Amino acid sequence: MATIHQLFSAGAETTVTTLRWSLLYMMAYPEIQGRIQREIDDVVGRNRLPNYSDREHLPYTEATLMEIARIASIAPFGIPHVAAQNTTLFGYNIPEETIIMSNIWAIHNDPDTWKDPDMFRPERFLDGDRLAKQPDAYLPFSAGRRVCLGENLARIELFLFFSHCLHRFTFKKPQDSPELSFDGVAGAANSPRFYETEAILRD
Ligand code: HEM
């Protein structure tokens, strides 16, 4: 029961939170939203929804999802771990049973790695018209033996939900709705604040 519960909580909350950040960024950056829609229209057309095999032909869409995962860093400190034995790392002594947390947020915002880390810029994941080699410092799913178990599933889900949403709708901030905020709310995941959106059906 606990295992099934963890699969749902680790699996659902994370993906939903990433999608909530995605729509927020699409409302804030309509030119990026429009470029994704043009890419999907060119590759997929208007007569069917995108499927997973389209992904390799939609580099800008994929780069945008990667940039959302970087800038939102929904698991900013990963999941705590415990040192199984006394060890040293870069000259630091780490006693057995020390709780260790990885600062994924800092890795994703390090100005030595990412130019203007505060800027939302999908192009940073592109090399010309294609996806660039994934930078070592891109770690939304962490790394190593305890890397996220659901990474592949999450990538598929995010691609399909996001591309389907933008294929069918344009997301717009409703008139007179509160200013968009990019401050995260700490909880099970780093979530966006509640916001209103207007989903306008595309032709
Ligand atoms: C956007 C989606 C997701 C993100 C950003 C994410 C991120 C992470 C991160 C950072 C960790 C910690 C890894 C570590 O301890 O170093 C983790 C662990 C884990 N994730 Fe995900 N995750 C996502 C989706 C999912 C999905 C869809 C599932 C399952 C259906 C899942 C299941 C798990 C499990 C079981 C662990 C613990 C793995 C272990 O300790 O061995 N996650 N995830």
Side-chain angles (χ1 to χ4, degrees):
M1 285 293 284
T3 306
I4 299 296
H5 176 261
Q6 281 175 9
L7 276 176
F8 274 99
S9 57
E13 175 79 11
T14 46
T15 312
V16 169
T17 301
T18 307
L19 285 167
R20 288 178 54 217
W21 280 113
S22 310
L23 299 189
L24 178 65
Y25 275 97
M26 291 304 96
M27 287 194 291
Y29 293 86
E31 67 291 351
I32 293 180
Q33 177 170 209
R35 186 166 162 190
I36 295 171
Q37 288 171 326
R38 282 194 299 282
E39 183 181 68
I40 295 175
D41 290 354
D42 287 348
V43 172
V44 176
R46 301 298 307 144
N47 296 325
R48 67 170 176 89
L49 287 168
N51 58 45
Y52 194 60
S53 58
D54 294 316
R55 179 170 147 183
E56 59 183 299
H57 306 295
L58 297 169
Y60 190 74
T61 307
E62 186 64 16
T64 306
L65 279 170
M66 292 175 78
E67 177 67 338
I68 289 162
R70 182 196 68 82
I71 206 163
S73 294
I74 63 140
F77 299 110
I79 292 180
H81 290 277
V82 170
Q85 58 189 46
N86 294 336
T87 187
T88 55
L89 185 68
F90 297 117
Y92 290 95
N93 291 326
I94 302 177
E96 185 179 343
E97 294 191 4
T98 304
I99 294 180
I100 300 174
M101 297 166 80
S102 46
N103 194 343
I104 295 175
W105 186 90
I107 297 170
H108 282 170
N109 285 276
D110 182 352
D112 290 341
T113 311
W114 310 96
K115 189 168 179 290
D116 306 323
D118 293 342
M119 304 282 286
F120 182 65
R121 194 185 287 148
E123 288 79 5
R124 66 173 87 241
F125 289 102
L126 291 175
D127 180 4
D129 291 340
R130 337 182 68 178
L131 271 188
K133 183 177 166 292
Q134 190 168 298
D136 291 343
Y138 178 69
L139 293 171
F141 299 97
S142 189
R145 290 176 74 161
R146 304 305 294 267
V147 67
C148 173
L149 187 81
E151 174 171 355
N152 285 340
L153 175 64
R155 283 177 181 265
I156 297 170
E157 289 178 325
L158 290 173
F159 173 80
L160 289 177
F161 281 121
F162 184 65
S163 63
H164 283 201
C165 284
L166 294 199
H167 184 275
R168 300 302 295 141
F169 299 99
T170 297
F171 294 88
K172 215 175 144 221
K173 176 181 167 314
Q175 261 189 344
D176 305 325
S177 62
E179 279 304 302
L180 299 179
S181 165
F182 296 92
D183 293 341
V185 182
N190 177 42
S191 311
R193 294 180 188 282
F194 283 107
Y195 57 77
E196 294 172 28
T197 186
E198 191 180 345
I200 303 163
L201 193 60
R202 301 182 67 216
D203 293 335

